[in-house]
Amino acid sequence: MEKRKLEVGDVVQLNPEHKFGGMILVVTEPKEFGCQGYLMSSTNFEATRFKGLAYLRASFEEFEYIGQSHWMH
């Protein structure tokens, strides 16, 4: 994705080449390099099975913008 202004609550999808390719990331902190956010996943995803939300930092090259979420948890 080309660099753009991101806001808290934006939704992005990780590129297929990423370790977590195809997963949805909800932005919690826009950053100069991209963003930090939590992964939306099934309950079987190893990183969230025992500890709840899994946070990830991703650069603009690693995701595509989807849109804005209406509610965050």
Side-chain angles (χ1 to χ4, degrees):
M1 178 178 119
E2 290 185 26
K3 192 172 184 177
R4 67 173 289 158
K5 182 177 186 221
L6 294 173
E7 297 180 10
V8 173
D10 280 347
V11 178
V12 300
Q13 186 172 22
L14 297 171
N15 295 338
E17 299 80 25
H18 191 278
K19 178 179 179 181
F20 302 115
M23 293 186 77
I24 301 297
L25 183 71
V26 179
V27 176
T28 57
E29 292 182 46
K31 301 283 189 183
E32 186 67 30
F33 61 83
C35 66
Q36 178 173 309
Y38 61 86
L39 290 169
M40 300 295 295
S41 65
S42 69
T43 56
N44 292 330
F45 178 54
E46 188 67 31
T48 61
R49 190 180 318 167
F50 301 106
K51 298 186 180 184
L53 296 176
Y55 285 85
L56 179 79
R57 294 172 65 137
S59 65
F60 286 108
E61 297 79 29
E62 297 177 303
F63 61 80
E64 292 296 326
Y65 181 80
I66 301 291
Q68 177 72 31
S69 64
H70 292 278
W71 301 280
M72 292 178 61
H73 58 82

